[in-house]
Amino acid sequence: MADRSAKNPLLTRHGEALDLFTDRVHAIRPDQWDAPTPCTEWSVRDLVNHLTAEQLWVPPLVRDGSTIEEQGDAFDGDVLGDDPVAAWDRAAAEARAAFAAPGAIERTVRLSYGDTPASDYCAQMISDAVVHAWDLSRGIGADERLPAALVDFTVREVTPYAADLEKSGLFASPVEPPAGADVQTKLLALLGRRV
């Protein structure tokens, strides 16, 4: 698997994004699960639950060719159980394996808005993990600096459809970045985060 990732820049970025979020999940102290995050509706646990559920979707959609409709509400509600860190680790490992399987990235997946290249789905998952790694870092007081390669990737990925993200209700309205802001700060401002 590592060899395949080395040959595919998209899979490399995906692995890096999962590693980044995993690092933050493992840094959560027991007393921080109910702490607030920049996602105003979500606590730390809610945020990790969201990302874990997102990873749980990957194997059925990418590996099995299943549809959202066929999965139904399988990943709704609490997917973390009594050991949220282990739940995240399992889900992340399974998502990584599903995308890295031979031919997986060339497949088409059936998402809520229609048939989508698995490579585009993977790119969206990378961006989601990167931005939410910052949210989680802010929520637990961890290092908020994101790796430059992942920031650059996410800027390229989300800029074309940033306005649609706000309309979806999943992201806040963009905010004006401070003068002289770096690329990370501009990305976060684009997605409604105040640094």
Side-chain angles (χ1 to χ4, degrees):
M1 242 182 284
D3 188 48
R4 259 188 72 70
S5 295
K7 295 177 184 174
N8 186 316
L10 185 64
L11 293 177
T12 299
R13 292 287 92 80
H14 181 253
E16 292 167 353
L18 288 177
D19 291 345
L20 174 66
F21 198 81
T22 297
D23 179 64
R24 298 309 189 266
V25 170
H26 283 254
I28 301 168
R29 294 189 319 263
D31 64 337
Q32 291 182 311
W33 288 98
D34 292 325
T37 70
C39 304
T40 54
E41 305 295 314
W42 288 343
S43 67
V44 165
R45 184 181 174 95
D46 295 331
L47 177 61
V48 174
N49 189 73
H50 165 71
L51 260 288
T52 302
E54 290 291 310
Q55 305 319 305
L56 291 172
W57 279 103
V58 175
L61 295 177
V62 174
R63 182 190 62 214
D64 304 337
S66 186
T67 65
I68 301 271
E69 294 77 21
E70 288 167 348
Q71 292 303 307
D73 61 1
F75 308 121
D76 288 356
D78 177 33
V79 297
L80 297 179
D82 294 335
D83 191 345
V85 174
W88 162 260
D89 287 347
R90 275 191 309 275
E94 290 171 14
R96 186 186 309 250
F99 275 126
I105 214 74
E106 287 84 35
R107 295 183 186 136
T108 297
V109 293
R110 294 178 184 94
L111 302 179
S112 58
Y113 49 84
D115 287 359
T116 304
S119 58
D120 289 357
Y121 178 41
C122 185
Q124 293 163 17
M125 295 292 283
I126 293 165
S127 298
D128 200 40
V130 170
V131 173
H132 285 317
W134 181 86
D135 293 330
L136 184 53
S137 297
R138 172 70 50 109
I140 65 172
D143 181 7
E144 295 178 10
R145 198 90 215 113
L146 301 170
L150 289 174
V151 170
D152 292 344
F153 178 92
T154 304
V155 167
R156 286 191 305 275
E157 172 61 22
V158 303
T159 298
Y161 56 82
D164 293 330
L165 291 174
E166 180 191 352
K167 290 180 206 164
S168 74
L170 298 175
F171 287 87
S173 302
V175 297
E176 189 65 32
D182 62 10
V183 177
Q184 176 177 313
T185 302
K186 289 177 182 175
L187 168 66
L188 295 168
L190 180 66
L191 298 175
R193 274 107 174 129
R194 296 184 187 279
V195 180

